[in-house]
Each structure stands twice: as C-alpha cells, then as structure tokens.
C-alpha cells in the first residue's frame, strides 16, 4: 500500500511536469561528476575546461606539437636577449665614460640623457625572470642570491650570474655619475637616480646621495679647469622632495635594509632645509593671513559702522573690530588644535607625551616614515603586535624612542583599551 502511494502521481502538479522533474535532476547530477573527479587538481585547470576528446580532430595534436616547437625559439630568444643586454651595457658604459671625461661641467640635459639610457637598461633588467621569479638579491645581503643560484639548473646559472653582475655594475655606474665632482645633482637628476636604483633593487647608496644633494660643492659653468663653490645645506632648494624620499624609502623597505631606511629618514625628513620648505609651502600663506587679519578686520569694521545709526561711528567700529577678531582667532585656534592633534593617520608610532604641537606638525613626515618602517618590519596581524623580537626590532624601537615617539603604545593596542 505504501509502495502504491509513493508511485502514484501527485495531484498538485501535472503529469508533464512530473515527467520532466526526474530528468532535470539527473542532468544536474551528471554535471557534478566532473567537478568531484578533478577537485584535487590545481595545475591543469586550463586543460580541464577544454578536455581533449579521443575523437577530436588532428588539429588538437598539431597545437601540442606547435607548443613543443615554440620552446626552441624561446631559448634562442633568451640567448639573443643576453647578447643584446651585453651590447646595451657596452653602449651605456661608453656614454657614461664620455660624460665623465669632459673637461667642462656637464649640463643637466646631458646628465639626464645619460641616466635615461641607464634607466632604460634598468627597466629591461626589472622585467627579467631571473630577478623576480628566482631571487631578488641586494648588494649587502648575498645569501638570497647564493641560494637562488644554487636552486637554478646548470644551464641557467651562467645567465643568472651574468644578469646579477650586470645589475651590480649598472648600479655602481649610476652612482659614479652622481658622485662625480663635476656633476651637479638637480632635483630631476636625483629623481631619475632614485628610479634607477629602485628598479635595480639597490638602496644602499641613497643616504650618501641625499647627503651629497645638499653638501656637494657646486661646479661653475664654462670654467676650465672646473671651479667649485660651496653651497648652503640649509637652503630651501636643497630639501629632498617628498616624492623622491618616499620612493627611496620604499626601495629600502623592499630590499630589507633597515639601517639604510633609518639613514634615509635622517637625511631627508629631519633636515632644516626640509622643515623650511614645509613651512614655506604650507604655513607661509596662513601666517601671512594671520598678520594681515587685524588690518582687514579694521577696514571691514569701519565700513560696517557707516551702515548703522544706533551708536557713534567710532564706537561701532571698535565693537565690530573686536567681534571680527574674536571670531577669527577663536575659530582659527580650534582649527590649529584639531589639525595638530589629529592621530587617525597613526598606526604603530605615536608621539610621546610632552611633545609640543608645533613640533608634532613639523615632524609629521618623519613620524609617518618611521611608522611605515615599523609596519614593514613588524607583524602584519594586529593581534600579534607587541610580540616582535630580535636585534633589528630592538634597534628600531630604541631609535623611535630617542626621537620622542613611542612604538606600540599599550593603551592604543587592540584589546588593551
């Protein structure tokens, strides 16, 4: 009786729908079978999407043979590219030697042309597979380069060694250009130099170059022999641009050079030239407005006094003048306090108690740079902050403490409110 009840068609649907439902179920059931059969595969997804049928046309086999034959041109192109790299390196080296052997001081245009050729070669090395897919060595840390070379096959070790040597030579050549006494380091030259070294993953020369940018003697044009004049390192024009300093700092972080990053911050964000440039760029106009505010307020008050008849004109001018100044300065004071005490941008490095607000505002770029370094060397998980240890981390924490800042303040950490 129960069997008949199960096999009997349901009255709420028609027989046609009842006939189609089992077929739809079987169709969906079959669609899940291939997914379960290749759920473990992670390297052949492209082949699974277009499975090769045993009844397929011979065009599929020809495509596989074509893929097999395309490997030979790739190997040939690799050899050709290696020869082309050596040829380009010879040309760049000859151009640099001719620039440095000039009896007169080279112009900025000639220096930029030479560095542009170096940058073109650096961009070729930047996209080389041996540098990115195999290893990313630095000039001071050769353990990564050695382990990367040992992991390569014997056929590719020679090519990888030559590329590594070419990268080091190109970095040293670019450094010799900006270090030459006759080369004047302009903002454009410094910007292009940081781009070259960032592409080559070489950041150890940035602190010295930043120091030369403001202390290197200036060569005089059209003088044989070349005469030099001393420059003032505290001039506004000798401030390191923020974009250049940020790019150099990121290159040092990518190269895992902690002390290079700290020296970069010391030679860029903490100099008098940088502070003066920031004051001129961001605070000069508001300061001029504050100085001119009383004069403008008195002129406006005198004009408003003529529009009323309830009191004496002089008394009305004084009342309006006092009201305008009170509103302007009280509102401006609240804005300054809100600007200098904002801490939403702080992550791990905060100011120690007792640091004046004006000093906090002037040194905000320095704090942000140290915050970026601390975030790169510490744990990325917020719940693991405070568990870091080691010589580098202790040195970083002591460095930040000597600057009037605190690394990982306890009351601001997650779960410690």
């Amino acid at each position: 009786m129960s069997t008949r009840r199960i096999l009997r068609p349901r009255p709420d649907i028609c027989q046609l729908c009842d006939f189609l439902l089992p077929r739809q179920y079987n169709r969906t059931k079959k669609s899940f079978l291939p997914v379960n059969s290749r759920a473990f595969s992670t390297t052949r997804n492209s082949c699974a999407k277009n499975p090769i049928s045993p009844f397929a046309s011979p065009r599929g086999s020809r495509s596989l043979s074509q893929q097999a034959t395309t490997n030979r041109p790739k190997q040939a192109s690799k050899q050709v590219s290696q020869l082309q790299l050596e040829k380009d390196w010879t040309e760049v080296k000859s151009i640099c030697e001719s620039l440095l052997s000039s009896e007169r001081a080279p112009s900025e245009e000639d220096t930029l042309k030479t560095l542009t050729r170096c940058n073109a070669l650096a961009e070729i090395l930047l996209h080389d597979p041996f540098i990115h897919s195999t290893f990313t060595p630095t000039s001071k840390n050769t353990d990564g380069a050695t382990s990367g070379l040992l992991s390569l096959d014997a056929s590719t070790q020679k090519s990888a060694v030559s590329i590594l040597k070419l990268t080091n030579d190109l970095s040293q050549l670019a450094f010799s250009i900006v270090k030459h006494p006759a080369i004047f380091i302009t903002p454009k030259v410094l910007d292009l130099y940081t781009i070259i070294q960032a592409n080559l993953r070489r950041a150890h020369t940035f602190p010295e170059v930043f120091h030369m940018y403001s202390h290197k003697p200036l060569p005089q044009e059209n003088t044989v022999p070349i005469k030099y004049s001393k420059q003032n390192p505290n001039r506004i024009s000798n401030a390191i641009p923020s974009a250049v300093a940020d790019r150099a700092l990121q290159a040092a972080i990518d190269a895992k050079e902690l002390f290079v990053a700290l020296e970069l911050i010391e030679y860029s964000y903490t100099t008098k030239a940088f502070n003066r440039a920031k004051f001129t760029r961001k605070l000069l106009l508001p300061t001029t407005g504050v100085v001119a505010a009383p004069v403008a307020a008195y002129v406006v008050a005198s004009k408003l006094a003529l529009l009323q008849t309830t009191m004496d004109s002089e008394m009305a001018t004084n009342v309006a003048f006092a009201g305008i100044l009170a509103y302007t300065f009280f509102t401006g004071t609240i804005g300054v306090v809100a600007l200098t005490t904002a801490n939403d941008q702080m992550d791990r490095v905060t100011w120690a108690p007792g640091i004046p607000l004006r000093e906090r505002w002037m040194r905000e770029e320095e704090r942000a740079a140290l915050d970026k370094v601390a975030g790169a060397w510490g744990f990325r998980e917020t719940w693991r902050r405070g568990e870091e240890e080691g010589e580098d981390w202790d040195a970083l924490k002591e460095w930040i403490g000597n600057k009037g800042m605190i690394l990982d303040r306890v009351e601001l950490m997650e779960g410690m409110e």
Side-chain angles (χ1 to χ4, degrees):
M1 187 68 180
S2 61
T3 307
R4 293 179 181 178
R5 187 177 303 169
I6 294 174
L7 296 178
R8 188 172 56 189
R10 290 172 291 180
D12 54 346
I13 59 174
C14 63
Q15 295 182 1
L16 180 60
C17 296
D18 194 12
F19 174 73
L20 291 177
L21 284 175
R23 297 184 63 182
Q24 185 178 2
Y25 172 75
N26 294 333
R27 191 180 295 114
T28 56
K29 185 177 181 180
K30 290 180 181 180
S31 63
F32 284 99
L33 290 176
V35 178
N36 295 333
S37 62
R38 52 187 171 89
F40 62 91
S41 176
T42 58
T43 58
R44 297 183 180 181
N45 293 332
S46 60
C47 297
K49 292 180 180 178
N50 298 319
I52 301 176
S53 174
F55 302 100
S57 61
R59 296 180 63 182
S61 60
R62 284 201 300 269
S63 63
L64 293 176
S65 62
Q66 291 175 1
Q67 293 178 2
T69 55
T70 52
N71 293 330
R72 296 178 181 177
K74 286 183 179 179
Q75 296 177 359
S77 63
K78 184 185 296 184
Q79 296 177 359
V80 172
S81 63
Q82 187 68 23
L83 296 176
Q84 185 66 30
L85 283 176
E86 296 178 357
K87 182 180 178 181
D88 294 341
W89 163 246
T90 304
E91 294 179 357
V92 170
K93 188 176 180 180
S94 62
I95 294 174
C96 294
E97 290 177 353
S98 62
L99 177 70
L100 299 180
S101 60
S102 176
E103 296 181 356
R104 299 177 181 271
S107 62
E108 180 184 7
E109 184 179 359
D110 296 338
T111 306
L112 290 176
K113 287 182 180 179
T114 305
L115 291 178
T116 302
R117 294 296 302 271
C118 296
N119 186 34
L121 184 57
E123 289 181 351
I124 296 176
L125 296 175
L126 175 64
H127 300 287
D128 193 274
F130 291 105
I131 297 179
H132 291 279
S133 61
T134 309
F135 58 91
T136 55
T138 58
S139 60
K140 293 186 179 180
N141 186 11
T142 58
D143 295 338
T146 305
S147 60
L149 291 175
L150 293 177
S151 63
L152 297 176
D153 299 334
S155 59
T156 58
Q157 284 186 1
K158 183 178 180 181
S159 179
V161 169
S162 61
I163 291 176
L164 178 61
K165 184 178 182 299
L166 179 59
T167 302
N168 294 330
D169 293 342
L170 182 60
S171 175
Q172 188 63 29
L173 182 63
F175 177 69
S176 64
I177 293 176
V178 298
K179 190 179 180 180
H180 196 272
I183 300 297
F184 175 59
I185 305 177
T186 62
K188 293 183 179 180
V189 172
L190 182 64
D191 187 17
L192 187 55
Y193 176 79
T194 55
I195 294 175
I196 294 173
Q197 298 295 355
N199 291 336
L200 296 176
R201 303 294 192 271
R202 302 295 186 270
H204 62 281
T205 59
F206 284 146
E208 185 176 357
V209 173
F210 282 6
H211 183 266
M212 288 190 299
Y213 180 76
S214 58
H215 292 79
K216 187 177 180 181
L218 299 177
Q220 299 180 4
E221 297 181 356
N222 301 325
T223 56
V224 180
I226 303 175
K227 297 180 180 180
Y228 301 92
S229 60
K230 187 178 180 180
Q231 62 173 336
N232 184 13
N234 297 327
R235 292 178 56 186
I236 298 178
S237 59
N238 289 331
I240 303 295
S242 299
V244 176
D246 293 342
R247 185 186 301 111
L249 181 61
Q250 186 61 45
I253 292 175
D254 295 339
K256 302 299 180 183
E257 296 283 351
L258 175 60
F259 295 101
V260 172
L262 296 179
E263 290 180 359
L264 277 174
I265 297 173
E266 193 69 20
Y267 285 117
S268 57
Y269 298 111
T270 63
T271 59
K272 291 183 179 179
F274 185 85
N275 294 332
R276 291 178 179 179
K278 182 179 180 179
F279 178 85
T280 305
R281 186 176 62 255
K282 294 184 178 182
L283 205 60
L284 183 59
L285 183 61
T287 304
T288 305
V290 170
V291 174
V295 179
Y298 186 81
V299 173
V300 173
S302 61
K303 297 298 182 181
L304 292 177
L306 301 177
L307 302 178
Q308 56 84 34
T309 58
T310 57
M311 62 180 71
D312 185 26
S313 177
E314 184 178 358
M315 184 176 181
T317 302
N318 296 334
V319 171
F321 177 70
I324 294 173
L325 281 185
Y327 177 79
T328 302
F329 284 103
F330 289 163
T331 306
T333 302
I334 295 175
V336 170
V337 172
L339 179 64
T340 54
T341 58
N343 58 358
D344 296 337
Q345 76 281 4
M346 300 181 185
D347 186 20
R348 305 193 65 171
V349 179
T350 56
W351 293 106
I355 302 298
L357 295 181
R358 56 177 177 81
E359 186 176 350
R360 294 187 181 187
W361 183 82
M362 290 296 298
R363 298 175 56 193
E364 175 59 27
E365 285 78 8
E366 178 187 359
R367 187 214 58 80
L370 291 174
D371 202 348
K372 187 176 182 179
V373 173
W377 259 263
F379 291 124
R380 297 184 181 273
E381 299 84 357
T382 56
W383 57 273
R384 296 191 62 185
R385 291 183 177 179
E387 300 178 1
E388 295 89 354
E389 57 184 9
E391 296 181 359
D392 291 346
W393 186 257
D394 294 339
L396 177 61
K397 194 171 184 178
E398 183 180 359
W399 182 284
I400 294 175
N402 293 332
K403 295 294 182 177
M405 308 174 194
I406 299 177
L407 177 60
D408 292 336
R409 183 180 293 180
V410 178
E411 57 268 21
L412 298 180
M413 297 177 66
E414 184 179 358
M416 304 297 289
E417 293 85 357

